[in-house]
Amino acid sequence: MPGTSTPSTSSRTRRPRPGRSRRVLAVIALATAVVTAVLALALGRGAAGGGTAAPATVSTPEAQEPANPHLLALARRDGDDPLALGSPDAPVVLIEYSDFQCPFCGRFARETKPDLVRDYVDKGILRIEWRNFPVFGAESDQAARAGWAAGQQNRFWQFHDEAYAEPRRRNAGDFSEDNLLAMARKAGVEDLARFEKDMASEAAHQAVTRDSEEGYGIGVTSTPAFLINGRPVLGAQPTDVFTDIIDEAAEQARQQEDGDE
């Protein structure tokens, strides 16, 4: 879609993944076939400042096809995962692939996530699982490792909210080590020496790589990208797009549970 003055709701990645094109295209084609019955999303694919997003529509629950089992199975449902919110047994899981330097991820964090937590996570309906998907260079990688390190002291979501508290410049020092340390301090991370050690650790690198490879493996090409019970949603769409899909997914989960009894 040609660029316009209206900002896109997603930021494209900048890191090519050679050797994966056939696999990625095959998965995208499969996901698109599933999503057609669920969403009619005309999404801007431009980089920050370019492209536009058309209004999204949601089909009725009766028109929905089953979610892609491969994508549905990506929900980890690990009760000890510090980068997740909500019950592991929640009927709906939202997986978010995000970069702390992505402005549209910040928009979702500030404008939509609080409503989802209040209306769905706190009521046991929704679980949110974060995936680090750093795509904008060294500061993105560093911020991802910092988020993981904060999670080792059970302060990931506090760090997340601090990192996204306001729009920040990309690759201009806003996510330098000193600033990340300050964010961790504001987020209530108690052992800052451990935080710094964890941030630089091989375990942090491996955790971020695992998340990134998962995203690339299913064809994620921009941030933020979401899976809601296996159904893809791209970009910081309006809150009601998310709530409509969550409501439908929760209803389908209830119907399936009733049918299994």
Side-chain angles (χ1 to χ4, degrees):
M1 184 178 294
T4 70
S5 60
T6 303
S8 169
T9 59
S10 64
S11 296
R12 293 185 66 85
T13 65
R14 307 290 178 84
R15 183 183 303 169
R17 306 297 291 183
R20 295 184 175 227
S21 59
R22 291 184 180 179
R23 179 185 178 192
V24 169
L25 288 173
V27 175
I28 290 175
L30 176 60
T32 301
V34 175
V35 175
T36 298
V38 185
L39 299 174
L41 293 179
L43 296 169
R45 298 283 184 165
T52 182
T57 59
V58 180
S59 67
T60 62
E62 293 76 15
Q64 288 193 24
E65 296 179 3
N68 181 337
H70 173 67
L71 299 181
L72 188 61
L74 292 175
R76 296 172 186 171
R77 294 185 179 273
D78 180 357
D80 295 324
D81 183 359
L83 277 62
L85 279 175
S87 170
D89 298 322
V92 183
V93 177
L94 180 153
I95 302 174
E96 175 184 359
Y97 299 88
S98 283
D99 183 319
F100 282 115
Q101 290 202 104
C102 165
F104 307 108
C105 303
R107 181 187 301 174
F108 173 81
R110 292 187 295 272
E111 298 178 5
T112 298
K113 173 181 159 284
D115 291 342
L116 299 186
V117 171
R118 181 191 66 237
D119 295 338
Y120 295 97
V121 174
D122 290 347
K123 295 178 181 178
I125 299 170
L126 178 69
R127 175 177 173 84
I128 299 176
E129 296 187 355
W130 170 274
R131 302 289 191 267
N132 279 301
F133 198 74
V135 294
F136 294 115
E139 288 192 41
S140 292
D141 290 331
Q142 196 161 256
R145 294 195 306 272
W148 182 87
Q152 301 313 292
Q153 299 185 51
N154 295 315
R155 304 301 289 179
F156 169 77
W157 290 102
Q158 292 81 358
F159 176 89
H160 165 283
D161 292 347
E162 182 60 36
Y164 283 136
E166 60 187 58
R168 302 183 192 275
R169 299 168 299 166
R170 186 182 298 167
N171 293 320
D174 285 6
F175 291 93
S176 67
E177 288 189 19
D178 287 344
N179 284 336
L180 290 169
L181 189 62
M183 291 179 197
R185 185 181 295 110
K186 290 181 180 179
V189 175
E190 293 186 0
D191 190 339
L192 295 177
R194 177 190 171 190
F195 170 81
E196 291 183 286
K197 181 178 179 180
D198 285 340
M199 182 169 61
S201 69
E202 178 62 21
H205 171 74
Q206 290 179 359
V208 172
T209 298
R210 176 194 181 192
D211 288 354
S212 297
E213 291 298 326
E214 178 182 292
Y216 284 121
I218 62 171
V220 173
T221 60
S222 59
T223 56
F226 307 89
L227 294 174
I228 303 176
N229 271 17
R231 295 183 173 85
V233 179
L234 179 65
Q237 298 296 320
T239 299
D240 59 1
V241 171
F242 289 92
T243 58
D244 285 348
I245 301 171
I246 292 167
D247 286 342
E248 293 177 0
E251 177 60 27
Q252 284 194 335
R254 282 192 292 269
Q255 292 175 0
Q256 182 176 354
E257 184 177 353
D258 290 343
D260 290 341
E261 291 180 353

